[in-house]
Amino acid sequence: MGILDAIFGRTKQVQPNLDALFALPTAALTLEASAQQHPTGVGAVCFRQVEGGPFARLKADVTTLLGGAEPEEVHDDYGYTWLVVRREPSQMSELCTDLHAVNSTLEEAGFGPSLLCTTIGLRDDDGRSVALVYLYKRGTFYPFAPLDARRQERDNALELQVRALVGGDLPIEPDVSRWFPVWGAPGV
């Protein structure tokens, strides 16, 4: 960053670090032990919807990488596409490897600018859900805990508790205004 960038308030864009996804199993263990939040076995990669043949070929490549397990394609109300990967809840490491493969494949195919986030879902015995959300363009994580999806209310106390618990395991997004809600995210 040069002197003109400092004067004009420009900042250098953070590069995504997809290897940070491999820290999720440790964070999930922390949440299981400390907050009784258990992995749901569902993770998803969210990106701006793309059309046509290149995406169809890309989805076939992702299916091959996942050992023939085709990810479910879900379209949300905001115009985003989610590629949903499912594993047994006990297979958190494998789920993270699959999510890394999906992100890497999309990135290598030139869809990096369209990537928004990656989520993994957790749920406690009382049914409270929380997602650990990886912001692709920031290279950081944040918790999202929906309280009432119909009224679009969040459980802010749970989100702050999760941040405190996994702050040593994951790079947490320091700017809470960037903790965007991911209403309707698969697995949450």
Short mmCIF file of all heavy atoms in Angstrom, two decimals, residues 38-44 84-92 95 120-123 187:
data_model
loop_
_atom_site.label_atom_id
_atom_site.label_comp_id
_atom_site.label_asym_id
_atom_site.label_seq_id
_atom_site.Cartn_x
_atom_site.Cartn_y
_atom_site.Cartn_z
N HIS A 38 -23.61 -29.39 17.73
CA HIS A 38 -23.14 -30.57 17.01
C HIS A 38 -23.23 -30.33 15.50
O HIS A 38 -24.22 -29.75 15.02
CB HIS A 38 -23.99 -31.79 17.38
CG HIS A 38 -24.21 -31.93 18.85
ND1 HIS A 38 -23.22 -32.32 19.71
CD2 HIS A 38 -25.31 -31.70 19.61
CE1 HIS A 38 -23.70 -32.36 20.94
NE2 HIS A 38 -24.97 -31.98 20.91
N PRO A 39 -22.24 -30.78 14.74
CA PRO A 39 -22.30 -30.62 13.29
C PRO A 39 -23.53 -31.31 12.70
O PRO A 39 -23.94 -32.38 13.16
CB PRO A 39 -21.02 -31.31 12.78
CG PRO A 39 -20.11 -31.33 13.96
CD PRO A 39 -21.00 -31.43 15.17
N THR A 40 -24.13 -30.67 11.70
CA THR A 40 -25.28 -31.26 11.01
C THR A 40 -24.85 -32.15 9.86
O THR A 40 -25.66 -32.91 9.34
CB THR A 40 -26.21 -30.16 10.46
OG1 THR A 40 -25.48 -29.39 9.49
CG2 THR A 40 -26.75 -29.28 11.55
N GLY A 41 -23.59 -32.01 9.43
CA GLY A 41 -23.12 -32.77 8.28
C GLY A 41 -23.44 -32.09 6.96
O GLY A 41 -23.27 -32.68 5.90
N VAL A 42 -23.90 -30.85 7.02
CA VAL A 42 -24.27 -30.12 5.81
C VAL A 42 -23.39 -28.88 5.69
O VAL A 42 -23.24 -28.11 6.64
CB VAL A 42 -25.75 -29.69 5.83
CG1 VAL A 42 -26.11 -28.90 4.58
CG2 VAL A 42 -26.65 -30.90 5.98
N GLY A 43 -22.81 -28.72 4.53
CA GLY A 43 -22.03 -27.53 4.21
C GLY A 43 -22.45 -27.05 2.83
O GLY A 43 -22.99 -27.82 2.03
N ALA A 44 -22.21 -25.78 2.55
CA ALA A 44 -22.63 -25.24 1.25
C ALA A 44 -21.70 -24.12 0.82
O ALA A 44 -21.15 -23.39 1.66
CB ALA A 44 -24.06 -24.73 1.34
N VAL A 84 -24.66 -27.63 -2.27
CA VAL A 84 -24.78 -28.23 -0.95
C VAL A 84 -24.10 -29.59 -0.94
O VAL A 84 -24.37 -30.43 -1.80
CB VAL A 84 -26.27 -28.38 -0.54
CG1 VAL A 84 -26.39 -28.94 0.86
CG2 VAL A 84 -26.99 -27.06 -0.69
N VAL A 85 -23.25 -29.79 0.05
CA VAL A 85 -22.52 -31.05 0.23
C VAL A 85 -22.97 -31.66 1.55
O VAL A 85 -23.05 -30.96 2.57
CB VAL A 85 -21.00 -30.81 0.24
CG1 VAL A 85 -20.25 -32.10 0.43
CG2 VAL A 85 -20.55 -30.10 -1.04
N ARG A 86 -23.26 -32.95 1.52
CA ARG A 86 -23.72 -33.64 2.73
C ARG A 86 -22.77 -34.78 3.07
O ARG A 86 -22.34 -35.52 2.19
CB ARG A 86 -25.13 -34.19 2.53
CG ARG A 86 -26.15 -33.10 2.30
CD ARG A 86 -27.56 -33.66 2.10
NE ARG A 86 -28.47 -32.64 1.62
CZ ARG A 86 -29.03 -31.70 2.37
NH1 ARG A 86 -28.78 -31.68 3.65
NH2 ARG A 86 -29.83 -30.80 1.83
N ARG A 87 -22.50 -34.91 4.34
CA ARG A 87 -21.70 -36.00 4.90
C ARG A 87 -22.34 -36.40 6.22
O ARG A 87 -23.19 -35.70 6.76
CB ARG A 87 -20.26 -35.53 5.18
CG ARG A 87 -19.41 -35.32 3.96
CD ARG A 87 -18.93 -36.64 3.45
NE ARG A 87 -17.92 -36.46 2.42
CZ ARG A 87 -17.05 -37.38 2.11
NH1 ARG A 87 -17.04 -38.53 2.75
NH2 ARG A 87 -16.20 -37.18 1.14
N GLU A 88 -21.90 -37.50 6.75
CA GLU A 88 -22.32 -37.87 8.11
C GLU A 88 -21.78 -36.80 9.06
O GLU A 88 -20.67 -36.30 8.86
CB GLU A 88 -21.75 -39.24 8.49
CG GLU A 88 -22.38 -40.40 7.75
CD GLU A 88 -23.86 -40.52 8.05
OE1 GLU A 88 -24.25 -40.39 9.23
OE2 GLU A 88 -24.62 -40.74 7.09
N PRO A 89 -22.54 -36.44 10.09
CA PRO A 89 -22.07 -35.41 11.02
C PRO A 89 -20.69 -35.70 11.62
O PRO A 89 -19.94 -34.78 11.93
CB PRO A 89 -23.15 -35.38 12.11
CG PRO A 89 -24.39 -35.80 11.38
CD PRO A 89 -23.92 -36.84 10.40
N SER A 90 -20.35 -36.96 11.76
CA SER A 90 -19.04 -37.32 12.31
C SER A 90 -17.90 -37.14 11.31
O SER A 90 -16.74 -37.25 11.67
CB SER A 90 -19.07 -38.78 12.79
OG SER A 90 -19.32 -39.64 11.69
N GLN A 91 -18.23 -36.86 10.06
CA GLN A 91 -17.21 -36.73 9.01
C GLN A 91 -16.91 -35.26 8.69
O GLN A 91 -16.88 -34.84 7.54
CB GLN A 91 -17.67 -37.43 7.73
CG GLN A 91 -17.81 -38.93 7.88
CD GLN A 91 -18.26 -39.56 6.58
OE1 GLN A 91 -19.22 -39.13 5.96
NE2 GLN A 91 -17.56 -40.61 6.18
N MET A 92 -16.64 -34.49 9.72
CA MET A 92 -16.40 -33.06 9.55
C MET A 92 -15.15 -32.78 8.71
O MET A 92 -15.17 -31.88 7.87
CB MET A 92 -16.28 -32.41 10.93
CG MET A 92 -16.19 -30.94 10.87
SD MET A 92 -17.68 -30.25 10.16
CE MET A 92 -17.67 -28.70 10.91
N LEU A 95 -16.05 -33.35 5.12
CA LEU A 95 -16.93 -32.28 4.66
C LEU A 95 -16.11 -31.03 4.31
O LEU A 95 -16.32 -30.41 3.27
CB LEU A 95 -17.98 -31.94 5.71
CG LEU A 95 -18.93 -30.78 5.39
CD1 LEU A 95 -19.78 -31.10 4.16
CD2 LEU A 95 -19.81 -30.47 6.58
N ILE A 120 -21.07 -23.99 7.18
CA ILE A 120 -21.31 -25.31 7.76
C ILE A 120 -22.32 -25.11 8.89
O ILE A 120 -22.28 -24.10 9.58
CB ILE A 120 -20.04 -26.01 8.28
CG1 ILE A 120 -19.40 -25.22 9.41
CG2 ILE A 120 -19.06 -26.27 7.17
CD1 ILE A 120 -18.86 -26.12 10.47
N GLY A 121 -23.21 -26.06 9.04
CA GLY A 121 -24.26 -25.94 10.04
C GLY A 121 -23.98 -26.75 11.28
O GLY A 121 -23.38 -27.82 11.22
N LEU A 122 -24.43 -26.21 12.41
CA LEU A 122 -24.37 -26.89 13.70
C LEU A 122 -25.71 -26.68 14.38
O LEU A 122 -26.41 -25.71 14.11
CB LEU A 122 -23.24 -26.33 14.58
CG LEU A 122 -21.84 -26.49 13.99
CD1 LEU A 122 -21.29 -25.14 13.60
CD2 LEU A 122 -20.93 -27.17 14.96
N ARG A 123 -26.06 -27.60 15.28
CA ARG A 123 -27.34 -27.50 15.98
C ARG A 123 -27.17 -28.11 17.37
O ARG A 123 -26.51 -29.14 17.53
CB ARG A 123 -28.42 -28.25 15.19
CG ARG A 123 -29.82 -28.08 15.75
CD ARG A 123 -30.89 -28.58 14.79
NE ARG A 123 -31.00 -27.64 13.67
CZ ARG A 123 -30.82 -27.97 12.38
NH1 ARG A 123 -30.56 -29.20 12.04
NH2 ARG A 123 -30.94 -27.07 11.44
N GLY A 187 -28.71 -26.25 5.57
CA GLY A 187 -28.06 -26.83 6.74
C GLY A 187 -28.13 -25.98 7.99
O GLY A 187 -27.62 -26.36 9.03
#
